[in-house]
Amino acid sequence: MRPSVRAVFVEFSTKFDSCVPWMHLDREGMVRAGIGCLVDPIDHAFAVPWVHKDDAHKAEINEISSDWVRVKKNRLLAHTGPARARFYTSLELTKEGVDKLAFGRLEALEAHLLAHVFPAFEGYPADAQLAILSAVWALGGPEQLKLAFSKAIIEEAWTVAAEECFLSETLAPERKPRNWANRKLLVTAATTESPEKVTGWP
């Protein structure tokens, strides 16, 4: 991943995903925190630096476990949105904690892409890298990428990729702004003279 992509990724992502510093349930009943990051199963939650909301002191493992189980067992929270879960939790992430969680997920996604999907990823223009990571982040992994989009990426046909990058908005209309941002990045990647820099955003 180019340094310029890493430098803007969190700011870019929070334009399209809410940052929720406490544990909450997604629509499938999985525990998440930060910028839509999975902390499920519970082992994932133990690896994150939680602090107490009231005085910001470091949480112990048993306290993390209590918050996680309380949220996980309350299935209604999957249908009420993240804000409601705040009343069931005593812990949260600092900005540094949100960043640690986000970059841990980002690095895991990049490693998977390099090993199994796009082996030439490291050489792609920064704008293309950001667009690809954005799409994969929103989908939870590369398995649901459209075949035409993946093919265009492998061929480094960025103009074609820009036309094929749109994620389905049928059940997720909130993806629309992300789709257009990704398209702009890929259009920029096709003509950029500075492949090491992100120039197609903002």
Side-chain angles (χ1 to χ4, degrees):
M1 184 190 323
R2 295 186 187 270
S4 62
V5 175
R6 184 182 176 88
V8 303
F9 188 82
V10 168
E11 181 182 358
F12 175 87
S13 297
T14 52
K15 296 293 183 182
F16 313 110
D17 288 323
S18 297
C19 181
V20 183
W22 55 86
M23 298 183 214
H24 58 279
L25 294 185
D26 64 17
R27 295 169 186 167
E28 285 72 47
M30 302 296 283
V31 184
R32 293 185 181 270
I35 312 169
C37 295
L38 199 64
V39 286
D40 198 331
I42 197 170
D43 298 12
H44 292 194
F46 293 152
V48 183
W50 300 98
V51 299
H52 284 263
K53 292 177 183 176
D54 53 359
D55 59 10
H57 77 268
K58 182 180 178 182
E60 302 294 334
I61 287 182
N62 64 309
E63 293 169 328
I64 297 170
S65 179
S66 294
D67 255 25
W68 192 95
V69 171
R70 193 180 304 115
V71 169
K72 184 70 173 179
K73 285 187 173 180
N74 195 330
R75 304 293 292 178
L76 288 176
L77 294 177
H79 309 288
T80 58
R84 184 70 178 171
R86 179 169 188 157
F87 300 104
Y88 295 84
T89 57
S90 61
L91 308 178
E92 65 182 6
L93 296 172
T94 62
K95 181 184 181 304
E96 291 74 21
V98 168
D99 288 352
K100 179 178 179 180
L101 183 59
F103 285 125
R105 181 185 177 195
L106 181 65
E107 288 160 6
L109 287 175
E110 181 191 23
H112 182 74
L113 290 175
L114 280 166
H116 305 289
V117 189
F118 306 126
F121 181 84
E122 288 182 336
Y124 295 165
D127 290 293
Q129 287 186 352
L130 182 56
I132 295 163
L133 289 168
S134 169
V136 173
W137 185 277
L139 292 171
E143 295 77 17
Q144 297 180 55
L145 289 175
K146 291 193 299 184
L147 289 177
F149 180 50
S150 295
K151 182 175 182 292
I153 292 169
I154 291 169
E155 295 174 352
E156 300 186 33
W158 306 125
T159 301
V160 176
E163 299 306 318
E164 299 291 349
C165 73
F166 289 87
L167 309 178
S168 175
E169 299 171 11
T170 303
L171 298 177
E174 68 275 8
R175 287 176 176 171
K176 185 174 182 178
R178 181 189 293 275
N179 280 334
W180 285 101
N182 291 349
R183 183 183 187 280
K184 180 182 176 184
L185 285 165
L186 289 162
V187 168
T188 303
T191 58
T192 185
E193 296 180 359
S194 303
E196 73 285 355
K197 297 179 181 179
V198 174
T199 57
W201 183 84

